[in-house]
Amino acid sequence: MTTSANREQHTVSRRNFLKTTAAATALAAPYYVPASVFGANSPSNRINVGCIGVGNQGLPNLQRFLKQGDCQVVAVCDVNRGSDGYKEPGDVRGRDPARQEVERYYAEQKSVGRYNGCDAYNDFRELLARDDIDAVMLAPPDHWHEPMTIAAAAAGKDIYCEKPLGLTIGGQQKMIEAVRKHRRILQTGSHERSNPLVRQACELVRSGAIGDVKRVLAHVGRHNKVGPGPGWRPMPVPEGFDYDLWLGPASEAPYHEDRCLYNFRFHYDYAGGQITNFGAHSIDMAQWGLGMDDTGPTHVEHIYADYLPKGSLFNAATHTFFRCRYANGAVLECFTAEPSVRCIFEGTEGLVRIDNQGQNFFATPRGIWPKELTGKEKYHSGDDHVRNFLDCVRSRSEPAAPVEVGHRSATICHLGNIAIGLQAKLKWDHKSEHFVGDRSDDANSLLNRPVREWWQA
Ligand SMILES: NC(=O)c1ccc[n+]([C@@H]2O[C@H](COP(=O)([O-])OP(=O)(O)OC[C@H]3O[C@@H](n4cnc5c(N)ncnc54)[C@H](O)[C@@H]3O)[C@@H](O)[C@H]2O)c1
């Protein structure tokens, strides 16, 4: 039987091997190292990956890992055995479809009729207990990010964790602690951090090309689902769906299909509404362009929020507006608007607008419009973000969106939700990460959430 001590030893020696190989290769080729250099056929050279939460976003993420020749997806995990009804009725996802996708892909790659090397789990703790898994991709609902990250870090896995980093500010601080204590690599899923266009746009802003930035507008999309209204009735839990493990640390609640797959984002027990969903992209860009990655605003103010009728299943605000102010006077306004425009920086001498999930950006005055920023219409930075993560797993260097960056960006989303929930103007001490002044007791009580007794890490 494998003890935790020899598991640790095995993991460490395997990691050292990966790192040594990367370091040796880096002398000749400092940036991207194709799998062939490592000997793709050598299992000891591959980064073994387990994918946890293979739904709407987890499946495309899994496909991004499959495409990287120097890693091998050896396991998938989902509390849903397999069903349709994710974002759209025809979206079939879950652990069985995900395993089939892995097996189909590798069978095609190896030109063999069958491939059986991917295991499927219901309980992520079984996946994390495996010695041979180096890294995990986490794309469960937001309420799972913190417990899974902490457990994965303790199990010695590197982590690609979907955005927003966590459900609460306090929870995210615990994630940082776990990642740093166990010396893991964590890439937050705000993939625009690996998008060269967004990088250029943010560098342009920070270079002073548009003068002093006075205001940044960060857009979040409105609800794209309505859900059942007041008087909705619970439904029986479908076969093959482990609802208790889906809820995990969240409060006990009657099952309804619109509570779970994809739609969890519209419920405050599992997510922060569209503010965290989109803000982890647009506010993340704002933070990057403002050069505020290791700090945050000093004030946050509720401006406006609208909700579905009381008693509806979805309780997150449908339309929102909040304002933050930084110590240097810059203002960040985050509101419900067309999400294909992500972020607009208004400077004293010009403007930079990042569009289309970072596929484009525009800058005025036209003289500073970068020349090479056209014609990449189908580009999605998710692939580069996964590649960056795997490179950092090898080199042990910081990824494009490390845990602290994910934390600071998601913190602003949580601050917005707290101010909106309290309908208040609040003072935030970004050093101690606590509210101070009026209503601070109320606001500080929302930095963490109670965990259901059923769930024990
Ligand atoms: N980076 C991006 O652009 C992007 C886009 C969409 C979603 N996301 C993020 O991805 C995450 C998932 O969102 P989604 O839209 O894919 O939701 P989803 O509901 O479609 O997928 C989540 C999956 O996790 C599974 N799951 C729930 N609890 C689990 C557990 N304990 N163990 C294993 N699996 C579990 C669910 O059954 C489901 O299949 C969210 O945090 C979301 O913010 C990121």
Side-chain angles (χ1 to χ4, degrees):
M1 193 182 146
T2 312
T3 64
S4 57
N6 68 22
R7 182 181 301 145
E8 177 82 356
Q9 207 176 23
H10 171 86
T11 310
V12 168
S13 56
R14 189 182 145 76
R15 291 288 149 57
N16 281 346
F17 180 78
L18 291 171
K19 187 181 172 185
T20 315
T21 320
T25 319
L27 290 173
Y31 183 52
Y32 174 71
V33 184
S36 55
V37 173
F38 293 108
N41 292 332
S42 161
S44 57
N45 270 341
R46 271 187 238 128
I47 298 168
N48 284 341
V49 176
C51 293
I52 302 176
V54 276
N56 168 56
Q57 179 68 10
L59 193 71
N61 282 354
L62 176 150
Q63 288 162 335
R64 293 189 173 107
F65 278 94
L66 288 177
K67 282 194 270 175
Q68 305 298 326
D70 63 339
C71 80
Q72 180 91 15
V73 178
V74 295
V76 297
C77 166
D78 200 300
V79 294
N80 187 16
R81 194 173 58 209
S83 69
D84 63 1
Y86 276 74
K87 185 175 179 182
E88 306 298 341
D91 291 340
V92 178
R93 307 279 156 97
R95 64 178 180 272
D96 280 357
R99 172 170 46 188
Q100 284 154 17
E101 173 68 6
V102 174
E103 292 181 345
R104 184 198 59 74
Y105 185 88
Y106 287 137
E108 270 178 28
Q109 290 293 301
K110 291 172 196 303
S111 310
V112 289
R114 284 176 58 188
Y115 177 85
N116 296 322
C118 179
D119 294 316
Y121 298 91
N122 177 56
D123 191 325
F124 69 96
R125 289 166 291 195
E126 289 176 36
L127 185 153
L128 293 182
R130 275 179 58 166
D131 292 343
D132 62 330
I133 293 182
D134 304 298
V136 288
M137 185 289 297
L138 304 180
D142 306 1
H143 68 289
W144 270 113
H145 292 189
E146 174 201 333
M148 283 187 188
T149 292
I150 292 172
K157 317 298 183 202
D158 293 319
I159 302 153
Y160 184 103
C161 179
E162 262 311 336
K163 46 54 57 175
L165 185 69
L167 190 63
T168 62
I169 295 171
Q172 291 175 172
Q173 290 164 337
K174 291 181 194 132
M175 293 168 80
I176 294 176
E177 206 179 297
V179 166
R180 293 306 166 199
K181 176 176 166 197
H182 297 288
R183 299 182 180 195
R184 303 328 314 157
I185 301 298
L186 185 143
Q187 175 86 295
T188 314
S190 301
H191 54 81
E192 292 88 352
R193 289 272 170 167
S194 293
N195 182 328
L197 301 184
V198 178
R199 172 175 292 279
Q200 260 180 293
C202 291
E203 280 172 1
L204 195 63
V205 173
R206 288 201 306 275
S207 74
I210 58 168
D212 293 336
V213 179
K214 293 293 178 196
R215 190 167 72 144
V216 189
L217 309 179
H219 288 191
V220 297
R222 57 168 187 243
H223 282 205
N224 53 342
K225 300 275 177 85
V226 178
W232 62 271
R233 287 165 186 266
M235 299 168 80
V237 178
E239 210 223 313
F241 187 69
D242 187 340
Y243 181 51
D244 229 4
L245 197 51
W246 186 92
L247 282 174
S251 316
E252 206 73 53
Y255 176 81
H256 190 290
E257 62 185 5
D258 286 342
R259 184 185 294 284
C260 299
L261 309 179
Y262 185 80
N263 296 326
F264 71 87
R265 48 178 44 70
F266 307 119
H267 202 292
Y268 284 138
D269 277 3
Y270 323 112
Q274 297 294 47
I275 288 183
T276 48
N277 190 28
F278 283 92
H281 297 294
S282 57
I283 290 177
D284 184 60
M285 292 175 193
Q287 279 276 102
W288 202 13
L290 287 169
M292 295 289 181
D293 274 343
D294 56 358
T295 178
T298 54
H299 292 79
V300 57
E301 178 184 3
H302 155 88
I303 308 286
Y304 172 80
D306 200 4
Y307 299 85
L308 289 166
K310 211 172 169 53
S312 299
L313 178 58
F314 297 169
N315 62 9
T318 54
H319 294 78
T320 54
F321 190 163
F322 69 92
R323 179 179 296 133
C324 292
R325 191 176 296 279
Y326 291 83
N328 67 1
V331 165
L332 166 66
E333 292 188 339
C334 175
F335 51 89
T336 308
E338 176 49 58
S340 64
V341 175
R342 286 288 205 224
C343 192
I344 302 170
F345 296 90
E346 296 174 350
T348 47
E349 291 159 36
L351 176 148
V352 166
R353 191 181 85 188
I354 304 174
D355 281 0
N356 253 344
Q357 308 196 21
Q359 290 182 24
N360 245 320
F361 83 76
F362 301 93
T364 58
R366 199 179 158 80
I368 58 166
W369 192 318
K371 289 189 186 101
E372 67 270 41
L373 298 178
T374 51
K376 285 189 115 186
E377 273 160 30
K378 295 216 168 119
Y379 174 73
H380 190 287
S381 42
D383 289 333
D384 285 342
H385 209 46
V386 166
R387 185 62 249 162
N388 171 261
F389 170 65
L390 292 171
D391 288 341
C392 294
V393 168
R394 289 190 184 282
S395 67
R396 312 312 292 168
S397 47
E398 283 299 301
V403 63
E404 290 86 358
V405 164
H407 167 60
R408 287 293 186 172
S409 297
T411 289
I412 299 178
C413 306
H414 301 314
L415 292 180
N417 272 333
I418 291 171
I420 282 171
L422 296 174
Q423 301 196 0
K425 182 171 182 177
L426 301 163
K427 263 179 146 173
W428 176 244
D429 178 347
H430 58 85
K431 290 195 182 117
S432 73
E433 299 191 86
H434 276 86
F435 292 96
V436 290
D438 282 357
R439 311 278 317 264
S440 58
D441 286 349
D442 293 340
N444 283 324
S445 75
L446 300 171
L447 293 176
N448 290 284
R449 299 209 193 171
V451 171
R452 185 164 69 120
E453 247 179 53
W454 176 89
W455 167 250
Q456 294 297 330

